[in-house]
Amino acid sequence: MSLTPSNMLALNSPLPSFRLPDAQGRMVSSDDYAEQPLLVVFMCNHCPFVKHLAGALADFARQYQDRGLAVVGINSNDFLANPEDRPERMLEEARERGYTFPYLVDETQDVARAFDAACTPDFFLFDRRHKLAYRGQFDDSRPSQDIPVTGRDLRAAADAVLAGQSPDETQKPSMGCNIKWK
């Protein structure tokens, strides 16, 4: 495990377009979310940082999807080298965690490169115009710390976006395992 920070793309960057299959082969496209705020989370099954907040992420997604935020998870890890991240394991993980969002397979890793994603988890929140409004951490909690997982940072940003406002530009990078590149 290599502790890696997110790359902190420039705010107002446009949403990179994507068209990826979920773990069952159903295609999901960025075009499916036109004029809807969208959270893209680069994640995987085996990373201790993702595992640490997975339950809270599932709760966050349910709550904010009900308020109009679209959410997608993308697994860009090389699953041949990391079999716990295989698509069939993604299905099990989504079921076990109660994910209500599409969990997509980026087998070529082209989408991760287009987003300049670096770690899992890596959060990218886009406003209704699909301009980057937030990129950073879920909250200050980490697996090795005794800090509760609240999603405070991402919640504040999502609340602002859903209210048609800009989130605070002071944003802390997400920290996690590096994406497992081919």
Side-chain angles (χ1 to χ4, degrees):
M1 173 177 71
S2 175
L3 184 61
T4 302
S6 54
N7 286 327
M8 303 299 281
L9 288 179
L11 293 173
N12 291 312
S13 294
L15 170 68
S17 63
F18 61 85
R19 186 171 187 274
L20 295 170
D22 69 10
Q24 294 177 305
R26 290 183 295 249
M27 298 305 290
V28 175
S29 168
S30 52
D31 293 338
D32 298 339
Y33 305 104
E35 297 185 34
Q36 187 175 10
L38 174 63
L39 173 65
V40 177
V41 184
F42 287 87
M43 54 191 285
C44 66
N45 300 335
H46 84 277
C47 171
F49 292 88
V50 175
K51 287 180 175 184
H52 179 69
L53 58 80
L57 175 61
D59 292 342
F60 170 89
R62 280 189 297 276
Q63 293 164 8
Y64 280 82
Q65 285 172 310
D66 287 346
R67 294 178 54 196
L69 178 66
V71 179
V72 298
I74 299 177
N75 181 353
S76 298
N77 278 355
D78 176 3
F79 60 80
L80 295 177
N82 300 277
E84 57 272 40
D85 290 332
R86 305 184 311 273
E88 56 272 19
R89 276 292 303 133
M90 292 170 61
L91 282 172
E92 293 170 21
E93 180 76 5
R95 207 172 14 257
E96 289 170 13
R97 299 287 186 186
Y99 294 151
T100 55
F101 52 85
Y103 191 10
L104 309 176
V105 181
D106 179 21
E107 188 171 0
T108 66
Q109 302 180 318
D110 290 343
V111 174
R113 285 186 186 87
F115 276 79
D116 200 21
C119 59
T120 56
D122 211 347
F123 299 93
F124 298 85
L125 176 62
F126 295 87
D127 63 18
R128 283 173 172 45
R129 299 173 300 124
H130 286 178
K131 298 293 183 187
L132 185 64
Y134 179 82
R135 73 292 190 246
Q137 66 180 9
F138 193 64
D139 59 27
D140 288 324
S141 184
R142 302 290 184 267
S144 62
Q145 300 170 339
D146 191 23
I147 299 172
V149 179
T150 63
R152 182 190 65 194
D153 296 48
L154 184 58
R155 286 177 186 279
D159 289 342
V161 165
L162 290 170
Q165 301 168 353
S166 295
D168 185 340
E169 290 188 14
T170 304
Q171 301 173 6
K172 297 178 186 177
S174 187
M175 299 292 288
C177 299
N178 61 305
I179 289 180
K180 306 305 184 237
W181 301 104
K182 292 181 179 182

